[in-house]
Amino acid sequence: MQFRFPTLFFGIFLLVTACSDINSGWTVDGGGYMKLTINGDEDLDLAIDPDDGDVILRSNKHYVTFLGKNRAGDALQIMVNKPELGDNAPVTSSGYTYLVLGNSYPAHIIDIDSSYIKFDQKDSILWSADVHLIFNHCYGDECDNDRVIITGRMRYWVDPDDR
């Protein structure tokens, strides 16, 4: 059986094409996810775009932010001042830390003493944390004081251009 150069070239081309996306994704391009639970029984999966994480700390900037969102109109933004490994209190202002479920009015944190972001990694490449936040309940353009407990895991890979 004779093996021809064009056949070999075509085979290599197919292999390279099939594997071209193998390294694309969060770890290479930046961005991340939030895998959360609402009140312990409803899953909430949010994506963090590369530009929706701000983790570069400078002498005049002492905070980090993460914005996770999905196509259903859900969003969670978290801001933490002076982040460190371990428990961190989120900034409670509704302009900086808020929850939007189904395009509703943004909910704000109502129990700061029980809300925290627990970073177990934070460096020039990867930020990861356990999330436990307690918001008020908002639906449409109305809110009440019912508790919405958000728990889960967040991971964010820094965009290579920002490293």
Side-chain angles (χ1 to χ4, degrees):
M1 178 177 263
Q2 184 179 16
F3 192 73
R4 298 184 179 197
F5 181 73
T7 305
L8 175 64
F9 180 73
F10 183 70
I12 291 172
F13 174 78
L14 284 178
L15 182 63
V16 169
T17 303
C19 296
S20 65
D21 289 334
I22 203 160
N23 284 329
S24 69
W26 291 321
T27 59
V28 174
D29 301 330
Y33 63 84
M34 296 178 180
K35 296 267 186 206
L36 307 168
T37 303
I38 303 171
N39 293 330
D41 61 1
E42 183 180 342
D43 290 336
L44 178 63
D45 294 331
L46 305 173
I48 306 172
D49 290 336
D51 294 334
D52 287 339
D54 183 2
V55 298
I56 306 301
L57 299 173
R58 298 178 294 276
S59 60
N60 61 346
K61 180 182 161 278
H62 305 285
Y63 64 87
V64 295
T65 60
F66 304 93
L67 172 61
K69 52 193 173 189
N70 65 20
R71 292 182 183 183
D74 304 321
L76 173 61
Q77 178 167 297
I78 299 168
M79 176 185 259
V80 175
N81 279 326
K82 299 178 183 173
E84 57 187 39
L85 292 177
D87 289 350
N88 293 265
V91 174
T92 58
S93 171
S94 60
Y96 299 111
T97 300
Y98 59 84
L99 173 68
V100 174
L101 296 175
N103 293 313
S104 71
Y105 191 77
H108 63 276
I109 291 179
I110 60 173
D111 187 347
I112 187 59
D113 295 331
S114 299
S115 294
Y116 62 85
I117 307 298
K118 185 176 184 176
F119 289 109
D120 51 42
Q121 184 169 1
K122 63 176 211 63
D123 55 41
S124 63
I125 295 175
L126 177 64
W127 288 66
S128 61
D130 291 326
V131 176
H132 186 272
L133 302 169
I134 302 174
F135 292 92
N136 65 328
H137 178 254
C138 293
Y139 45 95
D141 59 354
E142 295 182 28
C143 297
D144 57 36
N145 286 326
D146 290 344
R147 296 165 64 104
V148 176
I149 302 171
I150 301 294
T151 57
R153 188 89 176 132
M154 174 191 76
R155 292 183 67 108
Y156 178 77
W157 288 270
V158 179
D159 185 334
D161 295 336
D162 295 333
R163 293 180 190 161

